Amino acid sequence: MATERLVLRGEEEHDLPLVQRAAEIIRAGGLVAFPTETVYGLGADALNREAVRKIFQAKGRPSWDPLIVHLDDPEQMFTLTRDQPASIRALMQHFMPGPLTLVLFKTAIVPDEVTAGLPTVALRVPAHPIARALIRLSDTPIAAPSANKFGRPSPTTAEHVLHDLDGEIDAVLDGGGTPVGVESTVIDLTTHPPTLLRPGATPVEAIEALVGAVHLLQSTPAEGEALRSPGMSARHYAPQAQVLLCPPSPDSLYVHTQRALHAGATVGVMKPIGWQLPSDPRLRVYTWGEWGDWRVLAQRLFDGLRWLESEGVQTIVCPLPPPQDLALAIRDRLERAARS
Ligand code: TXA
Ligand code: MG
């Protein structure tokens, strides 16, 4: 199939008909990639089983990995789920719309295709105006994983989406780069205390300040724990190159880069501004951002990994951010990308 690219301009008169066109495709059971504040999602009508199956086909996603359902109105959580804990109200008030996904027990309205047969469903209310408009005009909840081939870095531009999925989806709404760049935080509210299933754009510290302690899953899950969030166990977010992580200092980045070059590889580096590197014709450098400016580093993470990959490097060297706040989400994605 030919993938329609619907390029938005940020002017209502121009954009509205394009979002309406995308909503028609969703209502007809098709697949539309669209920007959210985190990354691009690959959307289908969450209440249409056939449409949801197409998402798994297009992504090459295993059927055991459940999808996030995107809502326009937070109150819809109460028709799609049951037995919510009292803390849900505070979480809704503080973090919705925004990059927080809640896992709750589902009602019969939610098809098993969406949840991979689990008794729970993951839900979020995106903050991006295009995502909101698309859900509203489609007049149905939209199931959407990140719009990449399974296991690849998430897409933060329409170009990234088309690189992975051109010809396999009906349309992409091109709203430019996504502002946050890493995915939503996923919290399981069916456990006491709640469990952090995926660190993401909403810092877990902010969630704990509101609802108390949250159980942290180890990034290498213990036996049994991996099953709690099926998508979290595999190697993920990975470019074709081997990712090598190093301690976050200029000296360490320099030495690790030199070592990779000596090993004979073409090397890509995710380089913080102002850090020095050896000069070598086999080196490709992505200037990532100021070290410590986690917002910028998160926003540019997947773009950097994808760019270095497109330059054909065999190894990517990257300093590893500390395990706190937004840096934890970047660190988590890099650790998964480095797993082989
Ligand atoms: O920011 C985001 O969350 C993006 C945008 C498009 O909204 N979406 C996204 O979806 O990252 P995806 O499919 O790439 O990741 C969803 C994660 C997976 O790790 C999946 O296993 C987990 O959420 N998940 C979904 N439903 C679940 C459930 N019922 N129980 C536990 N984990 C669940
Ligand atoms: Mg994903």
Side-chain angles (χ1 to χ4, degrees):
M1 82 179 63
T3 299
E4 277 180 68
R5 183 167 183 170
L6 307 167
V7 182
L8 306 172
R9 286 196 205 137
E11 299 156 16
E12 166 129 10
E13 234 171 86
H14 172 268
D15 293 354
L16 189 60
L18 299 185
V19 183
Q20 269 161 346
R21 165 89 193 110
E24 265 166 41
I25 296 172
I26 295 280
R27 279 200 303 269
L31 299 185
V32 177
F34 61 98
T36 78
E37 72 277 26
T38 58
V39 301
Y40 274 73
L42 177 57
D45 179 351
L47 306 183
N48 177 338
R49 295 168 193 271
E50 203 44 54
V52 170
R53 277 192 214 115
K54 288 187 202 163
I55 294 179
F56 288 87
Q57 265 165 24
K59 278 197 61 142
R61 183 175 176 114
S63 57
W64 44 258
D65 194 358
L67 307 177
I68 295 175
V69 174
H70 296 66
L71 307 172
D72 174 44
D73 176 4
E75 291 299 319
Q76 265 190 300
M77 298 232 174
F78 296 100
T79 54
L80 300 178
T81 69
R82 59 182 172 80
D83 302 332
Q84 306 86 3
S87 58
I88 191 176
R89 280 285 169 199
L91 289 169
M92 286 169 65
Q93 229 163 27
H94 278 77
F95 298 116
M96 288 182 197
L100 177 64
T101 296
L102 302 179
V103 171
L104 294 157
F105 289 111
K106 79 178 195 76
T107 59
I109 301 170
V110 182
D112 288 334
E113 280 79 357
V114 172
T115 65
L118 292 175
T120 56
V121 61
L123 299 158
R124 91 174 185 95
V125 182
H128 197 294
I130 301 301
R132 301 296 294 281
L134 177 65
I135 302 165
R136 198 166 50 245
L137 293 171
S138 302
D139 198 24
T140 184
I142 293 184
S146 50
N148 50 278
K149 284 281 184 189
F150 182 70
R152 301 252 312 128
S154 294
T156 57
T157 66
E159 287 77 17
H160 296 164
V161 173
L162 290 169
H163 180 273
D164 281 17
L165 297 171
D166 196 9
E168 297 181 57
I169 62 178
D170 295 289
V172 55
L173 272 171
D174 181 351
T178 56
V180 176
V182 291
E183 303 85 346
S184 63
T185 302
V186 182
I187 297 275
D188 185 349
L189 289 185
T190 69
T191 63
H192 310 282
T195 307
L196 177 69
L197 296 179
R198 177 177 72 185
T202 299
V204 67
E205 292 88 342
I207 296 168
E208 290 191 310
L210 197 67
V211 302
V214 167
H215 175 63
L216 305 185
L217 279 188
Q218 296 308 307
S219 66
T220 311
E223 196 76 15
E225 275 200 322
L227 299 173
R228 294 273 290 284
S229 189
M232 297 309 293
S233 50
R235 171 173 148 95
H236 233 94
Y237 310 109
Q240 271 143 27
Q242 172 75 38
V243 176
L244 272 181
L245 302 176
C246 73
S249 76
D251 284 353
S252 175
L253 184 65
Y254 191 100
V255 168
H256 280 79
T257 301
Q258 207 164 38
R259 232 182 264 161
L261 286 164
H262 281 156
T266 52
V267 177
V269 177
M270 296 288 283
K271 189 185 85 68
I273 291 169
W275 294 23
Q276 302 305 310
L277 291 174
S279 82
D280 191 296
R282 290 169 302 142
L283 195 59
R284 295 288 177 281
V285 177
Y286 183 81
T287 303
W288 194 5
E290 288 289 344
W291 191 253
D293 189 349
W294 309 123
R295 280 177 196 280
V296 169
L297 298 174
Q299 204 268 325
R300 293 170 58 75
L301 171 70
F302 291 130
D303 187 60
L305 294 176
R306 281 176 175 264
W307 181 78
L308 290 172
E309 173 187 78
S310 74
E311 289 291 298
V313 302
Q314 294 161 295
T315 304
I316 295 175
V317 187
C318 183
L320 187 64
Q324 59 216 221
D325 293 306
L326 184 56
L328 176 64
I330 305 171
R331 180 184 171 98
D332 169 81
R333 303 308 182 267
L334 284 169
E335 283 179 332
R336 287 174 205 289
R339 217 166 274 168
S340 52

